[in-house]
Amino acid sequence: MTQITINSNKLEHNFEPKSTLYEIVDFLLTNYLNENEVITKIELDNVPVPNNDIKIIHNTLIDGHNHINFSVQDRPQLIFDTLVSCENHLNNTIVTINKISELYRSDDANQSYGLFIDMIEQINTFIYSMSIINKSLEQHISSNPPINEEFHALELDLLTTLKTLLTAKKNNDNVQISDLLEKNLVSNLQKWISDMIPKLKKII
């Protein structure tokens, strides 16, 4: 018989052996978890379901596994932890930007290609994460309008800077790239770290 646990605690409920993982998830969301709790990870015999893949969840029968564990976390705590992760992510991104800037100042821009791609990916990941966080805050936590206005203004500034930076890169305008990296981009990311992220933490 398959043992089902939530945060390693046994779930006292009997399911049919031919039940799918999706049916268990639906049961938990409908009858067990409160509105502020979310499933963050599902493990089948100690192996995580990659990114909580919905196809795997739909197609997996529980009787094919000895142990299924659901990791559940409080939504506000999850948002707070994600903000901390984003803050660390930004600090690493600024380190990358500084390395790129040093290469440009040394007239060695060609050596910055790999770092430049990494930087763009890091910023895109950050933008995606913050977008999800903001939607969660709007849906589940009362946020006063000024915070939302500041958030979107800072987000727009970041997206505009990124678009201009990519255009300058395409045009091989190293002078503009250097200015955008050292002034606009770093300034924007530091505002997230010093101002916006702390404000978001306070309203959770």
Side-chain angles (χ1 to χ4, degrees):
M1 184 175 179
T2 305
Q3 183 183 52
I4 299 176
T5 57
I6 299 176
N7 294 339
S8 299
N9 297 313
K10 185 178 179 181
L11 177 64
E12 298 295 343
H13 186 87
N14 293 323
F15 296 97
E16 292 295 324
K18 295 300 180 181
S19 297
T20 65
L21 192 56
Y22 178 81
E23 290 174 297
I24 312 305
V25 170
D26 184 61
F27 171 82
L28 294 178
L29 294 177
T30 305
N31 304 288
Y32 192 87
L33 305 182
N34 65 51
E35 63 179 12
N36 280 328
E37 291 180 314
V38 291
I39 297 171
T40 57
K41 183 169 66 173
I42 304 173
E43 295 172 292
L44 305 174
D45 296 324
N46 297 317
V47 178
V49 174
N51 300 313
N52 287 346
D53 190 302
I54 191 65
K55 289 184 179 179
I56 296 176
I57 292 173
H58 268 286
N59 296 327
T60 299
L61 298 179
I62 67 171
D63 66 352
H65 300 276
N66 295 319
H67 180 211
I68 300 174
N69 182 64
F70 294 87
S71 294
V72 173
Q73 192 169 2
D74 182 72
R75 190 184 302 272
Q77 184 61 49
L78 178 61
I79 294 173
F80 185 90
D81 291 345
T82 304
L83 285 171
V84 172
S85 178
C86 284
E87 192 173 7
N88 294 332
H89 184 82
L90 284 187
N91 282 316
N92 292 331
T93 302
I94 290 174
V95 170
T96 301
I97 293 171
N98 289 334
K99 289 179 180 177
I100 296 172
S101 297
E102 289 175 8
L103 291 171
Y104 273 92
R105 284 197 298 269
S106 303
D107 293 324
D108 201 7
N110 291 333
Q111 298 299 318
S112 72
Y113 181 79
L115 286 174
F116 194 93
I117 297 299
D118 288 343
M119 176 196 68
I120 297 299
E121 291 179 351
Q122 289 170 7
I123 294 175
N124 282 334
T125 298
F126 170 73
I127 292 172
Y128 176 74
S129 298
M130 293 306 298
S131 176
I132 292 176
I133 288 172
N134 191 52
K135 287 179 181 178
S136 295
L137 288 173
E138 289 177 344
Q139 292 173 1
H140 300 282
I141 300 174
S142 298
S143 170
N144 52 42
I147 294 294
N148 285 330
E149 291 172 7
E150 291 176 31
F151 181 98
H152 291 301
L154 199 55
E155 182 182 43
L156 179 60
D157 178 67
L158 178 56
L159 290 170
T160 301
T161 298
L162 199 60
K163 182 179 180 179
T164 306
L165 183 62
L166 291 172
T167 300
K169 181 69 173 176
K170 183 178 180 180
N171 296 333
N172 294 315
D173 189 340
N174 292 348
V175 173
Q176 186 180 26
I177 291 173
S178 296
D179 285 344
L180 288 168
L181 289 174
E182 296 177 359
K183 298 176 183 177
N184 303 63
L185 190 55
V186 169
S187 174
N188 179 282
L189 299 185
Q190 286 177 336
K191 287 178 182 177
W192 285 101
I193 294 171
S194 65
D195 186 34
M196 183 50 59
I197 290 179
K199 285 182 178 178
L200 293 174
K201 287 179 181 178
K202 287 181 179 180
I203 65 174
I204 295 175

Coordinates of all heavy atoms in Angstrom, one line a residue, residues 13-91:
H13 N -5.8 9.1 5.1 CA -6.9 8.9 4.2 C -6.6 7.8 3.2 O -5.5 7.7 2.8 CB -7.2 10.3 3.4 CG -8.4 10.2 2.6 ND1 -9.6 10.6 3.1 CD2 -8.6 9.9 1.3 CE1 -10.5 10.5 2.1 NE2 -9.9 10.1 1.0
N14 N -7.6 7.0 3.0 CA -7.4 5.8 2.0 C -7.8 6.2 0.6 O -9.0 6.7 0.4 CB -8.2 4.6 2.5 CG -7.7 4.1 3.8 OD1 -6.5 4.1 4.1 ND2 -8.6 3.6 4.7
F15 N -6.9 6.0 -0.3 CA -7.2 6.2 -1.7 C -7.3 4.9 -2.5 O -6.6 3.9 -2.1 CB -6.2 7.1 -2.3 CG -6.1 8.5 -1.7 CD1 -5.2 8.8 -0.7 CD2 -7.0 9.5 -2.2 CE1 -5.2 10.1 -0.2 CE2 -7.0 10.8 -1.6 CZ -6.0 11.1 -0.6
E16 N -8.0 4.8 -3.5 CA -8.0 3.6 -4.4 C -6.7 3.4 -5.0 O -6.0 4.4 -5.4 CB -9.1 3.7 -5.5 CG -10.5 3.7 -5.0 CD -10.9 2.4 -4.4 OE1 -10.4 1.3 -4.9 OE2 -11.6 2.4 -3.4
P17 N -6.2 2.2 -5.1 CA -4.8 2.0 -5.7 C -4.7 2.5 -7.1 O -3.6 2.9 -7.5 CB -4.7 0.4 -5.7 CG -5.6 0.0 -4.6 CD -6.8 1.0 -4.7
K18 N -5.8 2.6 -7.9 CA -5.7 3.1 -9.2 C -5.9 4.6 -9.3 O -6.0 5.2 -10.4 CB -6.7 2.4 -10.1 CG -6.5 0.9 -10.3 CD -5.1 0.6 -11.0 CE -4.9 -0.9 -11.1 NZ -3.5 -1.1 -11.7
S19 N -5.9 5.3 -8.2 CA -6.0 6.7 -8.2 C -4.8 7.3 -8.8 O -3.7 6.8 -8.7 CB -6.2 7.3 -6.7 OG -7.3 6.8 -6.1
T20 N -5.0 8.4 -9.5 CA -3.8 9.1 -10.1 C -3.3 10.2 -9.1 O -4.0 10.6 -8.2 CB -4.2 9.8 -11.4 OG1 -5.2 10.9 -11.1 CG2 -4.8 8.9 -12.4
L21 N -2.1 10.6 -9.4 CA -1.5 11.6 -8.6 C -2.3 12.9 -8.6 O -2.4 13.6 -7.6 CB 0.0 11.9 -9.0 CG 0.9 12.7 -8.2 CD1 1.0 12.1 -6.8 CD2 2.3 12.8 -8.8
Y22 N -2.9 13.1 -9.8 CA -3.7 14.3 -9.9 C -4.9 14.3 -9.0 O -5.3 15.3 -8.4 CB -4.2 14.4 -11.4 CG -5.1 15.6 -11.6 CD1 -4.6 16.9 -11.8 CD2 -6.5 15.5 -11.6 CE1 -5.4 18.0 -12.0 CE2 -7.3 16.6 -11.8 CZ -6.8 17.8 -12.0 OH -7.6 18.9 -12.2
E23 N -5.5 13.1 -8.8 CA -6.7 13.0 -7.9 C -6.3 13.3 -6.5 O -7.0 13.8 -5.7 CB -7.3 11.6 -8.1 CG -8.0 11.3 -9.4 CD -8.4 9.9 -9.5 OE1 -7.6 9.0 -9.6 OE2 -9.6 9.7 -9.6
I24 N -5.0 12.9 -6.1 CA -4.6 13.2 -4.8 C -4.3 14.7 -4.6 O -4.7 15.3 -3.6 CB -3.2 12.4 -4.5 CG1 -3.4 11.0 -4.9 CG2 -2.9 12.6 -3.0 CD1 -4.5 10.2 -4.3
V25 N -3.7 15.3 -5.6 CA -3.5 16.7 -5.5 C -4.9 17.5 -5.4 O -5.0 18.4 -4.6 CB -2.8 17.2 -6.8 CG1 -2.8 18.7 -6.9 CG2 -1.3 16.7 -6.8
D26 N -5.8 17.0 -6.2 CA -7.2 17.7 -6.2 C -7.8 17.5 -4.8 O -8.4 18.4 -4.3 CB -8.1 17.0 -7.3 CG -9.4 17.7 -7.3 OD1 -9.5 18.9 -7.6 OD2 -10.4 17.0 -7.1
F27 N -7.7 16.3 -4.2 CA -8.2 16.1 -2.9 C -7.6 17.0 -1.9 O -8.2 17.6 -1.0 CB -7.9 14.6 -2.5 CG -8.3 14.4 -1.0 CD1 -9.6 14.1 -0.6 CD2 -7.2 14.4 0.0 CE1 -9.8 13.9 0.8 CE2 -7.5 14.2 1.3 CZ -8.8 13.9 1.7
L28 N -6.2 17.2 -1.9 CA -5.5 18.0 -1.0 C -6.0 19.5 -1.1 O -6.2 20.2 -0.1 CB -4.0 17.9 -1.2 CG -3.4 16.6 -0.9 CD1 -1.9 16.6 -1.2 CD2 -3.6 16.2 0.6
L29 N -6.1 19.9 -2.4 CA -6.4 21.3 -2.6 C -7.9 21.6 -2.2 O -8.2 22.7 -1.7 CB -6.3 21.7 -4.1 CG -4.8 21.7 -4.6 CD1 -4.8 22.0 -6.1 CD2 -4.0 22.7 -3.9
T30 N -8.7 20.6 -2.3 CA -10.2 20.8 -2.0 C -10.5 20.6 -0.6 O -11.3 21.3 0.0 CB -11.0 19.8 -2.9 OG1 -10.7 20.0 -4.3 CG2 -12.5 20.1 -2.7
N31 N -9.9 19.6 0.0 CA -10.3 19.1 1.4 C -9.3 19.3 2.5 O -9.6 19.2 3.7 CB -10.7 17.6 1.3 CG -11.8 17.4 0.3 OD1 -12.9 17.7 0.5 ND2 -11.4 16.7 -0.8
Y32 N -8.0 19.6 2.1 CA -7.0 19.5 3.2 C -6.3 20.8 3.4 O -6.1 21.3 4.5 CB -6.0 18.4 2.8 CG -5.1 18.0 3.9 CD1 -5.4 17.1 4.9 CD2 -3.8 18.7 4.0 CE1 -4.5 16.7 5.9 CE2 -2.9 18.3 5.1 CZ -3.3 17.4 6.0 OH -2.5 17.0 7.0
L33 N -5.8 21.4 2.3 CA -5.0 22.7 2.4 C -5.9 23.9 2.6 O -7.0 23.9 2.0 CB -4.1 22.8 1.2 CG -3.2 21.7 0.9 CD1 -2.3 22.0 -0.3 CD2 -2.3 21.3 2.1
N34 N -5.5 24.9 3.3 CA -6.2 26.1 3.4 C -5.7 27.0 2.2 O -4.8 26.7 1.5 CB -6.1 26.8 4.7 CG -4.6 27.2 5.0 OD1 -4.0 27.9 4.2 ND2 -4.1 26.9 6.2
E35 N -6.4 28.1 2.0 CA -6.2 29.0 0.9 C -4.8 29.6 0.9 O -4.3 30.1 -0.2 CB -7.2 30.1 0.8 CG -7.2 31.0 2.0 CD -8.3 32.1 1.8 OE1 -9.1 32.0 0.9 OE2 -8.2 33.1 2.6
N36 N -4.1 29.6 2.0 CA -2.8 30.2 2.1 C -1.7 29.2 2.0 O -0.5 29.5 2.1 CB -2.6 31.0 3.4 CG -3.2 32.4 3.3 OD1 -3.3 33.0 2.2 ND2 -3.8 32.9 4.4
E37 N -2.0 27.9 1.7 CA -1.0 26.9 1.6 C -0.9 26.4 0.1 O -1.9 26.3 -0.6 CB -1.4 25.7 2.5 CG -1.3 26.0 3.9 CD -1.6 24.7 4.8 OE1 -2.7 24.1 4.5 OE2 -0.9 24.4 5.7
V38 N 0.3 26.1 -0.3 CA 0.6 25.7 -1.6 C 1.5 24.5 -1.6 O 2.3 24.3 -0.7 CB 1.3 26.8 -2.5 CG1 0.3 28.0 -2.7 CG2 2.5 27.3 -1.8
I39 N 1.3 23.6 -2.6 CA 2.2 22.5 -2.8 C 3.4 22.9 -3.6 O 3.3 23.4 -4.7 CB 1.5 21.4 -3.6 CG1 0.3 20.9 -2.8 CG2 2.5 20.2 -3.9 CD1 -0.6 19.9 -3.6
T40 N 4.6 22.8 -2.9 CA 5.8 23.3 -3.6 C 6.6 22.2 -4.2 O 7.4 22.5 -5.1 CB 6.7 24.1 -2.5 OG1 7.0 23.2 -1.4 CG2 6.0 25.3 -2.0
K41 N 6.4 21.0 -3.8 CA 7.2 19.9 -4.3 C 6.5 18.5 -4.1 O 5.8 18.4 -3.1 CB 8.6 19.8 -3.7 CG 9.5 18.7 -4.3 CD 10.9 18.8 -3.8 CE 11.1 18.6 -2.3 NZ 12.5 18.6 -1.9
I42 N 6.6 17.7 -5.1 CA 6.0 16.3 -5.0 C 7.1 15.3 -5.2 O 7.8 15.4 -6.2 CB 4.9 16.1 -6.0 CG1 3.8 17.1 -5.9 CG2 4.3 14.7 -5.8 CD1 2.7 17.1 -6.9
E43 N 7.3 14.4 -4.3 CA 8.3 13.4 -4.4 C 7.7 12.0 -4.5 O 6.9 11.6 -3.7 CB 9.3 13.4 -3.2 CG 10.0 14.7 -3.1 CD 10.8 14.8 -1.8 OE1 10.1 14.9 -0.8 OE2 12.0 14.7 -1.8
L44 N 8.2 11.2 -5.6 CA 7.7 9.9 -5.8 C 8.9 9.0 -5.4 O 9.9 8.9 -6.1 CB 7.3 9.6 -7.2 CG 6.3 10.6 -7.8 CD1 6.1 10.3 -9.3 CD2 4.9 10.4 -7.1
D45 N 8.8 8.2 -4.3 CA 9.9 7.4 -3.8 C 11.2 8.2 -3.7 O 12.2 7.8 -4.2 CB 10.1 6.2 -4.7 CG 8.9 5.3 -4.6 OD1 8.2 5.2 -3.5 OD2 8.5 4.7 -5.7
N46 N 11.0 9.4 -3.1 CA 12.2 10.3 -2.8 C 12.7 11.0 -4.1 O 13.7 11.7 -4.0 CB 13.3 9.6 -2.1 CG 12.9 9.1 -0.7 OD1 12.2 9.8 0.0 ND2 13.3 7.9 -0.4
V47 N 12.0 10.8 -5.2 CA 12.5 11.5 -6.5 C 11.5 12.6 -6.8 O 10.3 12.3 -7.0 CB 12.6 10.5 -7.7 CG1 13.0 11.2 -8.9 CG2 13.5 9.4 -7.3
P48 N 11.9 13.9 -6.8 CA 11.0 15.0 -7.1 C 10.4 14.9 -8.5 O 11.1 14.5 -9.5 CB 11.9 16.2 -7.0 CG 13.1 15.8 -6.2 CD 13.3 14.3 -6.5
V49 N 9.1 15.3 -8.6 CA 8.5 15.4 -9.9 C 9.1 16.7 -10.5 O 8.9 17.8 -9.9 CB 7.0 15.5 -9.8 CG1 6.3 15.9 -11.2 CG2 6.4 14.2 -9.3
P50 N 9.7 16.7 -11.7 CA 10.4 17.9 -12.2 C 9.4 19.0 -12.4 O 8.4 18.9 -13.2 CB 10.9 17.4 -13.6 CG 11.0 15.9 -13.5 CD 9.9 15.5 -12.6
N51 N 9.6 20.1 -11.7 CA 8.8 21.3 -11.9 C 7.3 21.1 -11.7 O 6.5 21.8 -12.3 CB 9.0 22.0 -13.2 CG 10.5 22.4 -13.5 OD1 11.1 23.0 -12.6 ND2 11.0 22.0 -14.6
N52 N 7.0 20.0 -10.9 CA 5.6 19.6 -10.7 C 4.9 19.5 -12.0 O 3.7 20.0 -12.2 CB 4.9 20.7 -9.8 CG 5.3 20.6 -8.4 OD1 5.9 19.6 -7.9 ND2 4.9 21.6 -7.6
D53 N 5.5 18.8 -13.0 CA 5.0 18.6 -14.3 C 3.6 18.1 -14.3 O 3.3 17.0 -13.8 CB 6.0 17.6 -15.1 CG 5.7 17.6 -16.6 OD1 4.5 17.3 -16.9 OD2 6.6 17.9 -17.4
I54 N 2.7 18.8 -14.9 CA 1.3 18.5 -14.9 C 1.0 17.2 -15.6 O 0.1 16.4 -15.3 CB 0.4 19.6 -15.5 CG1 -1.1 19.4 -15.2 CG2 0.7 19.8 -17.0 CD1 -1.4 19.4 -13.7
K55 N 1.8 16.9 -16.7 CA 1.6 15.6 -17.4 C 1.9 14.4 -16.6 O 1.2 13.4 -16.6 CB 2.4 15.6 -18.7 CG 1.9 16.5 -19.8 CD 2.7 16.4 -21.0 CE 2.2 17.4 -22.1 NZ 3.1 17.3 -23.4
I56 N 3.0 14.5 -15.8 CA 3.4 13.4 -14.9 C 2.3 13.3 -13.8 O 1.9 12.1 -13.5 CB 4.8 13.7 -14.3 CG1 5.8 13.7 -15.4 CG2 5.1 12.7 -13.2 CD1 7.2 14.1 -14.9
I57 N 1.8 14.4 -13.3 CA 0.8 14.3 -12.2 C -0.4 13.7 -12.7 O -1.1 12.9 -12.0 CB 0.6 15.8 -11.7 CG1 1.8 16.3 -11.0 CG2 -0.7 15.8 -10.8 CD1 1.7 17.8 -10.6
H58 N -0.8 14.0 -14.0 CA -2.1 13.4 -14.5 C -1.9 11.9 -14.8 O -2.9 11.1 -14.6 CB -2.4 14.1 -15.8 CG -3.4 15.3 -15.6 ND1 -4.7 15.1 -15.3 CD2 -3.1 16.6 -15.7 CE1 -5.3 16.3 -15.2 NE2 -4.4 17.2 -15.4
N59 N -0.7 11.5 -15.2 CA -0.5 10.1 -15.7 C 0.0 9.1 -14.7 O 0.1 7.9 -15.0 CB 0.4 10.1 -17.0 CG -0.2 10.9 -18.1 OD1 -1.4 10.9 -18.3 ND2 0.6 11.6 -18.9
T60 N 0.4 9.6 -13.5 CA 1.0 8.7 -12.5 C 0.0 8.1 -11.7 O -0.8 8.7 -11.0 CB 2.0 9.5 -11.7 OG1 3.1 10.0 -12.5 CG2 2.6 8.6 -10.6
L61 N 0.0 6.7 -11.6 CA -0.9 6.0 -10.7 C -0.1 5.8 -9.4 O 1.1 5.5 -9.3 CB -1.2 4.6 -11.3 CG -2.0 4.6 -12.6 CD1 -2.2 3.2 -13.1 CD2 -3.3 5.3 -12.4
I62 N -0.9 6.0 -8.3 CA -0.2 6.0 -7.0 C 0.3 4.6 -6.6 O 1.3 4.4 -5.8 CB -1.1 6.5 -5.8 CG1 -2.3 5.6 -5.6 CG2 -1.5 8.0 -6.2 CD1 -3.0 6.1 -4.3
D63 N -0.3 3.5 -7.1 CA 0.1 2.2 -6.7 C 1.4 1.7 -7.3 O 1.9 0.7 -7.0 CB -1.0 1.1 -7.0 CG -1.3 0.9 -8.5 OD1 -0.7 1.7 -9.3 OD2 -2.1 0.0 -8.9
G64 N 1.9 2.6 -8.2 CA 3.3 2.3 -8.7 C 4.4 2.7 -7.9 O 5.6 2.6 -8.2
H65 N 4.0 3.3 -6.7 CA 5.1 3.9 -5.8 C 4.8 3.5 -4.4 O 3.7 3.3 -3.9 CB 5.1 5.4 -6.0 CG 5.4 5.9 -7.4 ND1 6.7 6.0 -7.8 CD2 4.6 6.2 -8.4 CE1 6.6 6.4 -9.1 NE2 5.4 6.5 -9.5
N66 N 5.9 3.3 -3.6 CA 5.8 3.0 -2.2 C 5.5 4.2 -1.3 O 4.8 4.1 -0.3 CB 7.0 2.3 -1.7 CG 7.3 1.0 -2.4 OD1 6.3 0.2 -2.6 ND2 8.5 0.7 -2.8
H67 N 6.0 5.3 -1.7 CA 5.9 6.5 -0.9 C 5.8 7.8 -1.7 O 6.6 8.0 -2.7 CB 7.2 6.6 0.0 CG 7.1 7.8 0.9 ND1 8.3 8.5 1.4 CD2 6.1 8.5 1.5 CE1 7.9 9.5 2.1 NE2 6.6 9.5 2.2
I68 N 4.8 8.5 -1.4 CA 4.6 9.8 -2.1 C 4.5 10.9 -1.0 O 3.7 10.8 -0.1 CB 3.3 9.9 -2.9 CG1 3.3 8.7 -4.0 CG2 3.1 11.2 -3.6 CD1 2.0 8.6 -4.8
N69 N 5.4 11.9 -1.2 CA 5.4 13.0 -0.2 C 5.1 14.3 -0.9 O 5.7 14.6 -1.9 CB 6.8 13.1 0.5 CG 6.8 14.2 1.6 OD1 6.1 14.2 2.5 ND2 7.6 15.2 1.3
F70 N 4.3 15.1 -0.3 CA 3.9 16.4 -0.7 C 4.6 17.4 0.2 O 4.3 17.4 1.4 CB 2.4 16.6 -0.8 CG 1.7 15.8 -1.8 CD1 1.3 14.5 -1.4 CD2 1.5 16.2 -3.1 CE1 0.6 13.7 -2.3 CE2 0.8 15.4 -4.0 CZ 0.4 14.1 -3.6
S71 N 5.4 18.3 -0.3 CA 5.9 19.4 0.5 C 4.9 20.6 0.3 O 4.7 21.1 -0.8 CB 7.3 19.8 0.0 OG 8.2 18.8 0.2
V72 N 4.4 21.1 1.5 CA 3.5 22.1 1.5 C 4.0 23.3 2.3 O 4.6 23.1 3.4 CB 2.1 21.6 2.1 CG1 1.2 22.8 2.3 CG2 1.5 20.6 1.3
Q73 N 3.8 24.5 1.8 CA 4.3 25.7 2.5 C 3.3 26.7 2.5 O 2.4 26.9 1.6 CB 5.6 26.2 1.8 CG 6.4 27.2 2.6 CD 7.7 27.5 1.9 OE1 8.1 27.0 0.9 NE2 8.5 28.4 2.6
D74 N 3.3 27.5 3.6 CA 2.4 28.7 3.8 C 2.7 29.7 2.7 O 3.9 30.0 2.5 CB 2.6 29.3 5.1 CG 1.7 30.4 5.4 OD1 0.5 30.2 5.6 OD2 2.2 31.6 5.4
R75 N 1.7 30.2 2.0 CA 1.9 31.1 0.9 C 2.7 32.4 1.2 O 3.7 32.7 0.6 CB 0.6 31.5 0.2 CG 0.7 32.2 -1.1 CD -0.6 32.7 -1.6 NE -1.5 31.5 -1.8 CZ -1.6 30.8 -2.9 NH1 -0.8 31.1 -3.9 NH2 -2.4 29.8 -3.0
P76 N 2.3 33.1 2.3 CA 3.1 34.3 2.7 C 4.6 33.9 2.9 O 5.5 34.7 2.6 CB 2.4 34.8 3.9 CG 1.0 34.3 3.8 CD 1.1 33.0 3.1
Q77 N 4.8 32.8 3.6 CA 6.2 32.4 3.9 C 6.9 32.1 2.6 O 8.1 32.4 2.4 CB 6.3 31.2 4.8 CG 7.7 30.8 5.2 CD 8.4 31.9 6.0 OE1 7.9 32.4 6.9 NE2 9.6 32.2 5.6
L78 N 6.2 31.4 1.7 CA 6.8 31.1 0.4 C 7.2 32.4 -0.4 O 8.3 32.5 -1.0 CB 5.9 30.3 -0.4 CG 6.3 29.9 -1.9 CD1 7.6 29.0 -1.8 CD2 5.2 29.1 -2.6
I79 N 6.3 33.4 -0.4 CA 6.6 34.6 -1.0 C 7.8 35.3 -0.4 O 8.7 35.8 -1.1 CB 5.4 35.6 -1.0 CG1 4.2 34.9 -1.8 CG2 5.7 36.9 -1.5 CD1 2.9 35.7 -1.7
F80 N 7.8 35.3 0.9 CA 8.9 35.9 1.7 C 10.3 35.2 1.3 O 11.3 35.9 1.0 CB 8.7 35.9 3.2 CG 9.7 36.6 4.0 CD1 9.6 37.9 4.3 CD2 10.9 36.0 4.4 CE1 10.5 38.6 5.0 CE2 11.9 36.6 5.2 CZ 11.7 38.0 5.5
D81 N 10.3 33.9 1.3 CA 11.5 33.2 1.0 C 11.9 33.4 -0.5 O 13.1 33.5 -0.7 CB 11.3 31.7 1.2 CG 11.1 31.3 2.6 OD1 11.4 32.1 3.5 OD2 10.6 30.2 2.9
T82 N 10.9 33.6 -1.4 CA 11.3 33.9 -2.8 C 11.9 35.3 -2.9 O 12.8 35.5 -3.7 CB 10.0 33.7 -3.6 OG1 9.4 32.4 -3.5 CG2 10.4 33.9 -5.1
L83 N 11.4 36.2 -2.1 CA 11.9 37.6 -2.1 C 13.4 37.5 -1.7 O 14.2 38.2 -2.2 CB 11.1 38.5 -1.3 CG 9.8 38.9 -1.9 CD1 9.0 39.7 -0.8 CD2 10.0 39.8 -3.1
V84 N 13.7 36.8 -0.6 CA 15.0 36.7 -0.1 C 15.9 36.1 -1.2 O 17.1 36.5 -1.5 CB 15.1 35.8 1.1 CG1 16.6 35.5 1.5 CG2 14.4 36.5 2.3
S85 N 15.4 35.0 -1.9 CA 16.1 34.4 -3.0 C 16.4 35.4 -4.1 O 17.5 35.4 -4.7 CB 15.4 33.2 -3.5 OG 16.0 32.6 -4.6
C86 N 15.4 36.2 -4.5 CA 15.5 37.2 -5.5 C 16.6 38.3 -5.1 O 17.3 38.7 -6.0 CB 14.2 37.9 -5.8 SG 13.0 36.9 -6.7
E87 N 16.6 38.6 -3.9 CA 17.6 39.6 -3.4 C 19.0 39.0 -3.6 O 19.9 39.8 -4.1 CB 17.3 39.9 -1.9 CG 18.1 41.1 -1.4 CD 17.7 41.4 0.0 OE1 16.9 40.6 0.6 OE2 18.1 42.4 0.6
N88 N 19.2 37.8 -3.2 CA 20.5 37.2 -3.4 C 20.9 37.0 -4.9 O 22.0 37.2 -5.3 CB 20.5 35.8 -2.8 CG 20.4 35.8 -1.3 OD1 20.8 36.8 -0.6 ND2 19.8 34.8 -0.7
H89 N 19.8 36.7 -5.7 CA 20.0 36.6 -7.1 C 20.5 37.9 -7.7 O 21.4 38.0 -8.6 CB 18.7 36.2 -7.7 CG 18.7 36.0 -9.2 ND1 19.1 34.8 -9.8 CD2 18.3 36.8 -10.3 CE1 19.0 34.9 -11.1 NE2 18.6 36.1 -11.4
L90 N 19.9 39.1 -7.3 CA 20.3 40.4 -7.8 C 21.7 40.7 -7.4 O 22.4 41.3 -8.2 CB 19.3 41.4 -7.3 CG 18.0 41.5 -7.9 CD1 17.2 42.7 -7.4 CD2 18.0 41.5 -9.4
N91 N 22.1 40.4 -6.2 CA 23.5 40.6 -5.8 C 24.5 39.9 -6.7 O 25.5 40.5 -7.1 CB 23.7 40.2 -4.3 CG 23.1 41.2 -3.4 OD1 23.3 42.4 -3.5 ND2 22.4 40.8 -2.3

